[in-house]
């Protein structure tokens, strides 16, 4: 940690990495990144224990990615990343993720044989469903030991859980193993009219009102499924919300996070995404670091103190943001240094409107950018959100560190 002493380890680290098959250029880059922390690193005792934790975590993530992800999901809430980002990273590394389901899921996320990559698949646990009580989930799992659930009526009779919980499971699309999507499952649950077992009349063996006539409901659009997934599960295995806005973003010449890889240092760009993390370290002199995500990946942005002063509400409140600025690039490390920011949280409301698979993005009036505050003018096509933008329930909240 002391000034100048980190260089004494350079040759040892680089040469040992080369001996183990790493290219010298890569080994040198690794050391240079470590060297950058030399002025404000941890004490040696702390650094040694932390290094061991990092190594073990990296090894588990590399060799057992499904188990690594399951463990992190089961330890929530914790840490820097939300469940949606943990699952996304696992899928990007070849792990097959399977939805929470009444016939397959336990309370915790588990591993199942037969993953698409040849390894185990990740089965989301019932704990991932917002508002789900562990006690109710354990009743469900215990009732399933004898036989899998055959239909909604059988599930309600044997699971022994509240109708409210059954509706919560249906809303979370957890009846897929019965051949029902969330809309059809909710319909069948509502058709039970809150009926409960009546032991005097052996209600479990007969239905007092006869079988409900079969009704085929209209197909729920994918965009609406994704919105409901995020509202009930805090993630979606079906698609990313930004995918449905991509056509309009392209027309506005707004890049995807993946497009940022093709940019050059100093290039002026615009990029949009859902805000994952905001950081404002005490040692950063008022600078805010933001991480945003779209359907292609993540991008990092820097907001200098003067820019923050002008766009504070946008930076601190947006759920979906458009960032205009200049690319700062060194090797594969890419940031966008923000010069102008737009709060476009209202675009998220478009995902649950209508039955279109691709959502349009309304063109804002010029003064929407000039006066980005609650009183600014809006085009008639833009829905006005009620309450604070951060409370929009289409997406889970960002992780903010100050």
């Amino acid at each position: 940690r002391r000034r100048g002493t980190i260089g004494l380890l350079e040759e040892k680290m680089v040469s040992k990495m080369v001996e183990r098959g790493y290219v010298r250029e890569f080994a040198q880059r690794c050391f240079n990144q470590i060297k950058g922390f030399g002025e404000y690193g941890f004490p040696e005792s702390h650094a040694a224990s932390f290094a061991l934790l990092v190594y073990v975590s990296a090894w588990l993530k590399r060799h057992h990615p499904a188990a690594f992800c399951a463990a992190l999901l089961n330890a929530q809430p914790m840490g820097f990343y939300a469940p949606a980002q943990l699952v996304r990273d696992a899928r990007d590394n070849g792990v097959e993720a399977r939805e929470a389901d009444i016939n397959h899921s336990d309370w915790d996320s588990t591993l199942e044989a037969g993953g698409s990559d040849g390894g185990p698949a990740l089965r989301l646990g019932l704990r991932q469903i917002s508002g789900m009580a562990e006690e109710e989930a354990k009743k469900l799992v215990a009732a399933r030991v004898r036989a899998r659930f055959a239909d909604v009526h059988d599930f309600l009779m044997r699971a022994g859980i509240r109708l409210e919980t059954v509706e919560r499971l249906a809303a979370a699309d957890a009846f897929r193993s019965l051949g029902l999507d969330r809309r059809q499952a909710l319909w069948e649950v509502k058709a039970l009219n809150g009926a409960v077992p009546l032991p005097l009349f052996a209600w479990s063996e007969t239905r007092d009102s006869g079988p409900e006539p079969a009704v085929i409901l209209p197909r729920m659009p994918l965009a609406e499924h994704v919105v409901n997934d995020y509202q009930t599960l805090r993630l979606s295995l079906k698609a990313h919300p930004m995918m449905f806005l991509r056509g309009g973003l392209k027309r506005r010449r707004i890049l995807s996070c993946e497009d940022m890889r093709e940019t050059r240092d100093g290039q002026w760009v615009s990029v949009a995404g859902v805000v994952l993390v905001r950081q404002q370290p005490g040692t950063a002199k008022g600078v805010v670091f933001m991480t945003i995500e779209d359907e292609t990946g993540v991008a990092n942005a820097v907001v200098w103190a003067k820019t923050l002063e002008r766009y504070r509400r946008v930076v601190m409140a947006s759920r979906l943001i458009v960032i205009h600025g200049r690319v700062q690039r060194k090797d594969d490390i890419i940031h966008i240094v923000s010069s102008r920011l737009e709060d476009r949280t209202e675009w998220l409301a478009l995902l649950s409107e209508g039955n279109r698979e691709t959502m349009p993005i309304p063109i804002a009036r010029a003064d929407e950018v000039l006066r980005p505050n609650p009183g600014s003018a809006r085009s008639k096509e833009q829905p006005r959100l009620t309450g604070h933008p951060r409370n929009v329930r289409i997406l889970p909240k960002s992780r903010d560190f100050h």
Side-chain angles (χ1 to χ4, degrees):
R1 186 185 177 194
R2 292 186 297 275
R3 185 184 297 274
T5 59
I6 190 71
L8 301 176
L9 301 174
E10 180 173 0
E11 182 55 33
K12 180 180 179 181
M13 175 179 166
V14 172
S15 62
K16 291 293 184 182
M17 288 183 69
V18 171
E19 287 179 14
R20 287 164 172 76
Y22 293 97
V23 178
R24 176 170 288 274
E25 182 184 359
F26 173 76
Q28 190 66 55
R29 287 211 316 268
C30 290
F31 179 81
N32 289 339
Q33 290 187 7
I34 296 172
K35 185 178 178 180
F37 288 90
E39 296 297 322
Y40 57 93
F42 294 117
E44 290 182 7
S45 58
H46 188 163
S49 59
F50 185 73
L52 178 60
L53 289 173
V54 170
Y55 176 80
V56 171
S57 298
W59 189 91
L60 287 171
K61 186 176 184 298
R62 170 65 180 83
H63 296 285
H64 302 281
F68 181 78
C69 183
L72 291 177
L73 290 175
N74 294 338
Q76 294 291 315
M78 59 162 284
F80 198 75
Y81 297 104
Q85 284 72 61
L86 296 173
V87 173
R88 177 184 184 136
D89 179 75
R91 297 176 79 186
D92 288 345
N93 285 280
V95 174
E96 178 186 347
R98 297 171 179 173
E99 296 177 332
D101 188 275
I102 60 168
N103 274 316
H104 301 292
S105 295
D106 293 342
W107 169 247
D108 283 334
S109 293
T110 55
L111 303 183
E112 295 180 347
S116 58
D117 64 342
L122 170 69
R123 172 68 69 177
L124 296 182
L126 298 174
R127 63 158 54 237
Q128 195 58 48
I129 300 174
S130 297
M132 186 74 186
E134 184 175 1
E135 181 181 354
E136 294 278 272
K138 288 182 176 179
K139 289 180 183 179
L140 182 162
V141 173
R144 198 178 64 205
V145 172
R146 180 166 59 89
R148 62 178 281 147
F149 302 112
D151 54 33
V152 174
H153 178 261
D154 176 46
F155 174 73
L156 182 61
M157 292 303 97
R158 289 202 289 124
I161 59 179
R162 300 189 304 269
L163 183 62
E164 175 188 356
T165 302
V166 181
E167 293 177 349
R168 197 180 297 277
L169 288 162
D173 211 12
F175 284 79
R176 289 279 179 170
S177 60
L178 303 183
L180 305 173
D181 71 359
R182 58 167 40 93
R183 178 175 285 174
Q184 199 73 38
L186 281 168
W187 176 273
E188 295 202 13
V189 169
K190 294 293 185 183
L192 295 174
N193 291 322
V196 295
L198 300 175
L200 289 177
F201 304 99
W203 191 89
S204 62
E205 296 181 6
T206 183
R207 306 185 193 187
D208 58 358
S209 58
E212 184 74 16
V215 176
I216 305 300
L217 300 176
R219 183 178 65 90
M220 179 180 282
L222 179 57
E224 197 170 339
H225 267 302
V226 171
V227 168
N228 280 275
D229 281 346
Y230 273 91
Q231 289 176 334
T232 57
L233 296 161
R234 292 163 291 170
L235 59 87
S236 178
L237 301 182
K238 300 178 180 72
H240 192 282
M242 292 297 294
M243 183 184 81
F244 306 101
L245 304 173
R246 184 54 54 196
L249 293 172
K250 284 185 177 180
R251 288 191 292 274
R252 286 169 165 254
R253 297 183 179 180
I254 295 175
L255 302 182
S256 69
C257 293
E258 187 175 47
D259 292 336
M260 291 288 291
R261 299 177 185 175
E262 305 302 321
T263 59
R264 63 183 184 279
D265 186 48
Q267 180 178 343
W268 283 95
V269 298
S270 299
V271 65
V274 173
V275 179
L276 296 184
V277 180
R278 300 175 180 88
Q279 298 178 77
Q280 190 174 27
T283 57
K285 299 181 180 179
V287 178
V288 170
F289 302 96
M290 298 179 67
T291 301
I292 64 173
E293 179 193 59
D294 64 14
E295 77 278 17
T296 69
V298 298
N300 297 303
V302 179
V303 184
W304 295 114
K306 287 186 177 180
T307 306
L308 177 62
E309 183 178 348
R310 183 178 180 186
Y311 295 101
R312 177 174 294 276
R313 191 195 68 82
V314 177
V315 172
M316 305 310 293
S318 301
R319 305 297 296 281
L320 191 159
I321 196 168
V322 179
I323 303 173
H324 308 274
R326 189 186 297 274
V327 173
Q328 187 177 78
R329 178 169 192 159
K330 184 175 182 180
D331 297 326
D332 293 330
I333 302 174
I334 305 171
H335 294 82
I336 176 171
V337 179
S338 309
S339 62
R340 182 166 61 87
L341 303 103
E342 302 177 54
D343 182 356
R344 292 300 178 187
T345 305
E346 71 271 8
W347 288 350
L348 294 173
L350 299 172
L351 300 181
S352 58
E353 294 183 355
N355 58 2
R356 292 162 291 184
E357 294 296 315
T358 303
M359 300 297 160
I361 296 178
I363 303 299
R365 295 176 181 172
D367 59 357
E368 177 70 9
V369 174
L370 295 176
R371 295 191 289 118
N373 60 64
S376 62
R378 296 171 181 265
S379 64
K380 294 181 179 179
E381 295 83 7
Q382 286 181 300
R384 178 176 290 278
L385 300 176
T386 57
H388 198 283
R390 211 182 220 165
N391 295 328
V392 175
R393 280 289 294 129
I394 292 177
L395 293 176
K397 293 181 179 180
S398 59
R399 300 290 177 96
D400 299 336
F401 301 87
H402 304 292

